[in-house]
Amino acid sequence: MEIAPNVYRIDSETGGRPLQLYLLVGDDRTVLVDAGGSSEPENVIFPYLKGLGLTPSDLDVVIVTHSDHDHFGGLSAIKDANPAVALTCGDQDRFMVEDPETTYSFRYNHYAADHGIGFDDDARAAIMEDLGRAQQVDFTWTGGETLRLASDWLLEVHHAPGHTYGHLCVFDTKNRAIIGGDVVQGSVYPSLEGGAALGPTYLYVDAYLTTIRYLKNLGADILCLAHWPIQRGREVDSFLDESRAYVEQVDRAMFEAISQAANGATMRELIEELGPSLGDWPRGADELLAFSFLGHLERFESRGLVKRDSTSHPVRFSLNS
């Protein structure tokens, strides 16, 4: 699907949700934004290139937006097909992008020890398979760089943390399009059928809110994300407003729930209480709220509003009276 002149959306799926990668074909460089999971290169990316009369050798740069399996697991397959391609990611996500085991431990199993929330063996195996094998990146971005795609076409690279701390988005200055992975998430991740699949999974709350404001200031006409329909015109601001409103809703609901809990509350108890009021996704997906809930809890702690009892297992949170 060509969404703007020489900008293409490559459609795939991950876990029953849309997965959208983006290809920008310039006179000077061809750039792929996100590599998908381990199977995407052979099954989706390379066939799409062939349909455009291109091959993997025509790829000059891959920009990974962030360190999730469905965004960088295909890097090694792309490098195998084209050793000359430059594989890149955000500087602060590099330690995960280059090491699948670290990604699983730091990103996906982060909630098991303290909160008793994690993935079973089958889910772990599926994530590890999608992460692919370890692959070094060639260089990283810190934000503020530009990449020339043609004489009249510049791509800006922006540091846009929140979902991960090293999250990137790119701004196509010619088409005024933000291409951003999971940089903002509205109030729900949609399923392939258009229903609700799961709730937003941002983690660093203050950084995420800053990113939302930052993206508003870019004045984009098009917002191209990995799992959501493309937003155009006024839809861009509406989606950004929806993203901010969801964060504010969770913040209020969580603080109220902790305030009402006589003996404090564990993260699981908060998820079970609040999940149904936040979205109509399948209740089995509520555990993925651990990402955003931990972010809110740590934000409360940093402001002296909430304290944790680390002697309890799972950890309990209560008002800091």
Side-chain angles (χ1 to χ4, degrees):
M1 176 183 180
E2 189 171 16
I3 62 172
N6 298 312
V7 181
Y8 303 90
R9 190 184 75 190
I10 304 174
D11 294 330
S12 188
E13 66 92 17
T14 180
R17 295 178 287 120
L19 174 63
Q20 294 150 181
L21 318 174
Y22 294 88
L23 181 72
L24 300 93
V25 181
D27 295 334
D28 298 338
R29 290 181 181 86
T30 294
V31 174
L32 176 67
V33 181
D34 283 330
S38 60
S39 65
E40 255 73 40
E42 291 292 344
N43 293 342
V44 180
I45 298 171
F46 299 162
Y48 194 94
L49 290 172
K50 185 177 181 180
L52 295 178
L54 302 173
T55 72
S57 296
D58 291 305
L59 290 176
D60 296 295
V61 181
V62 178
I63 300 176
V64 171
T65 58
H66 66 284
S67 53
D68 272 328
H69 59 87
D70 50 333
H71 294 263
F72 77 88
L75 287 178
S76 59
I78 293 173
K79 196 70 165 180
D80 287 346
N82 178 8
V85 68
L87 305 181
T88 73
C89 68
D91 190 66
Q92 294 176 60
D93 276 3
R94 182 177 196 159
F95 75 103
M96 287 188 282
V97 171
E98 292 191 329
D99 186 352
E101 289 289 348
T102 297
T103 304
Y104 186 81
S105 174
F106 185 86
R107 183 140 178 83
Y108 299 113
N109 205 38
H110 189 70
Y111 313 94
D114 287 344
H115 307 289
I117 296 175
F119 294 93
D120 61 24
D121 290 344
D122 288 344
R124 183 188 188 282
I127 291 171
M128 293 305 300
E129 180 179 0
D130 209 34
L131 283 167
R133 70 176 191 273
Q135 173 65 57
Q136 291 185 344
V137 300
D138 295 293
F139 61 87
T140 60
W141 312 88
T142 58
E145 302 91 347
T146 59
L147 186 64
R148 187 174 296 281
L149 304 186
S151 60
D152 61 345
W153 194 6
L154 286 177
L155 198 64
E156 297 176 351
V157 180
H158 295 268
H159 180 217
H163 183 52
T164 67
Y165 206 74
H167 204 298
L168 302 175
C169 72
V170 299
F171 184 55
D172 169 358
T173 60
K174 185 175 183 179
N175 297 297
R176 303 204 61 76
I178 295 169
I179 302 175
D182 295 41
V183 64
V184 287
Q185 304 170 6
S187 58
V188 65
Y189 276 78
S191 67
L192 285 169
E193 295 76 24
L198 57 117
T201 56
Y202 57 87
L203 176 56
Y204 305 101
V205 178
D206 285 326
Y208 184 62
L209 290 171
T210 298
T211 287
I212 293 170
R213 292 192 295 271
Y214 184 79
L215 296 185
K216 270 210 163 193
N217 288 335
L218 286 179
D221 295 327
I222 312 173
L223 179 62
C224 307
L225 301 172
H227 309 290
W228 294 265
I230 290 172
Q231 313 293 321
R232 296 180 184 270
R234 294 181 179 179
E235 295 172 342
V236 176
D237 272 355
S238 293
F239 192 84
L240 293 170
D241 290 341
E242 178 186 331
S243 302
R244 185 192 67 250
Y246 178 85
V247 175
E248 293 170 348
Q249 178 188 3
V250 175
D251 215 48
R252 291 191 300 268
M254 285 189 68
F255 190 76
E256 177 65 20
I258 295 170
S259 301
Q260 297 299 319
N263 298 312
T266 67
M267 187 189 291
R268 184 179 294 279
E269 288 168 348
L270 291 168
I271 287 172
E272 290 174 351
E273 178 180 349
L274 300 178
S277 67
L278 294 175
D280 60 357
W281 47 77
R283 298 278 65 91
D286 278 345
E287 284 199 353
L288 294 172
L289 291 169
F291 288 90
S292 61
F293 275 33
L294 181 63
H296 285 274
L297 289 166
E298 290 181 341
R299 187 180 191 228
F300 293 149
E301 286 184 279
S302 71
R303 297 181 176 188
L305 300 174
V306 164
K307 61 184 176 181
R308 71 170 67 197
D309 179 2
S310 297
T311 65
S312 171
H313 190 270
V315 171
R316 302 191 75 82
F317 297 87
S318 58
L319 287 187
N320 191 11
S321 55

